[in-house]
Amino acid sequence: MAPCEGRPRRLRGAGGAARAHCAPSAAAAAAVAAPAGSGGKEMTTPNKTPPGADPKQLERTGTVREIGSQAVWSLSSCKPGFGVDQLRDDNLETYWQSDGSQPHLVNIQFRRKTTVKTLCIYADYKSDESYTPSKISVRVGNNFHNLQEIRQLELVEPSGWIHVPLTDTHKKPIRTFMIQIAVLANHQNGRDTHMRQIKVYTPVEESSIGKFPRCTTIDFMMYRSIR
């Protein structure tokens, strides 16, 4: 019989003789309360991916500019009516839906080497469930033949904007001809994927003549650059 842990109490038996009885210790009680196989520890689930700020807030600061319209976009596959146009229409209710085997690819190619600071992706697990990406790889390079991965993201039920900084080892924005977003896995082992919006941002350089106040209203932003 295993030795008792805890404080013994004196009890009277049927014949009046005294006998020892052990009250369970706190440690023993905790071991009994914990589920089998848990090692006495409470089971935890991964934290959900928190949503980032709306990219339009970044644009209003005047520090970045969206340059997706300057690139040529292509996809590894898409369901008819759910392609590049839906990725770029500024509507969170529409989406790209792949129609092929993984990885699912979004290719963004610029005509010249371009400085890129941030990539913003909108995903919505509440609406898309098993179509929602759970693992994404971001690659950059001159063309399809020399792409290198610079970021890999693990996502847990994301519902909102995901901000991906595109910086080098010195924390400076990268310069590249091409960006590739690869969906490596989906939630619940889903086959095809949904992405609702993708935006690409470049930093706005300071004027060489001098620094001026930022254009933060829509009216001022219309005249912040010479066309």
Side-chain angles (χ1 to χ4, degrees):
M1 180 176 179
C4 294
E5 293 184 9
R7 190 173 182 178
R9 295 183 296 176
R10 304 293 293 180
L11 301 178
R12 292 285 174 181
R19 57 187 178 87
H21 175 76
C22 290
S25 66
V32 172
S38 67
K41 296 181 180 179
E42 184 179 353
M43 302 297 288
T44 59
T45 56
N47 292 329
K48 294 182 180 180
T49 302
D54 188 332
K56 292 187 183 298
Q57 295 180 11
L58 299 178
E59 295 178 33
R60 292 190 187 105
T61 65
T63 58
V64 295
R65 180 167 50 90
E66 212 282 327
I67 55 171
S69 60
Q70 300 177 14
V72 176
W73 294 64
S74 61
L75 305 168
S76 56
S77 67
C78 70
K79 183 179 178 181
F82 297 86
V84 170
D85 290 343
Q86 286 66 42
L87 267 179
R88 297 287 301 162
D89 62 3
D90 278 328
N91 184 352
L92 300 181
E93 299 301 318
T94 61
Y95 50 84
W96 160 52
Q97 179 175 322
S98 64
D99 189 19
S101 58
Q102 294 176 355
H104 306 301
L105 307 176
V106 180
N107 306 303
I108 308 168
Q109 294 174 275
F110 296 98
R111 293 178 175 84
R112 63 185 182 203
K113 203 165 194 177
T114 302
T115 302
V116 183
K117 181 178 182 180
T118 307
L119 195 65
C120 293
I121 302 169
Y122 193 93
D124 188 357
Y125 178 79
K126 294 177 182 178
S127 298
D128 299 331
E129 297 184 342
S130 64
Y131 287 90
T132 310
S134 61
K135 183 182 289 187
I136 293 176
S137 169
V138 180
R139 307 154 181 176
V140 298
N142 293 333
N143 51 54
F144 285 98
H145 303 293
N146 64 355
L147 293 172
Q148 294 185 342
E149 181 180 88
I150 60 170
R151 291 284 185 277
Q152 188 171 119
L153 291 78
E154 299 278 350
L155 306 175
V156 180
E157 299 182 8
S159 290
W161 287 101
I162 302 157
H163 292 234
V164 186
L166 301 184
T167 53
D168 59 19
T169 55
H170 302 290
K171 304 299 181 182
K172 293 183 178 181
I174 62 166
R175 286 182 56 78
T176 186
F177 279 99
M178 180 175 178
I179 302 169
Q180 184 180 81
I181 303 168
V183 178
L184 306 180
N186 292 316
H187 284 72
Q188 304 171 24
N189 295 318
R191 175 177 174 268
D192 283 309
T193 200
H194 284 181
M195 279 191 187
R196 292 183 172 259
Q197 291 291 298
I198 298 177
K199 292 184 177 292
V200 187
Y201 288 95
T202 187
V204 175
E205 297 180 358
E206 297 286 355
S207 170
S208 59
I209 300 174
K211 294 183 179 180
F212 296 94
R214 296 288 184 192
C215 300
T216 56
T217 66
I218 295 176
D219 290 338
F220 274 113
M221 289 173 69
M222 293 172 60
Y223 302 102
R224 69 181 178 183
S225 61
I226 299 174
R227 297 183 183 275

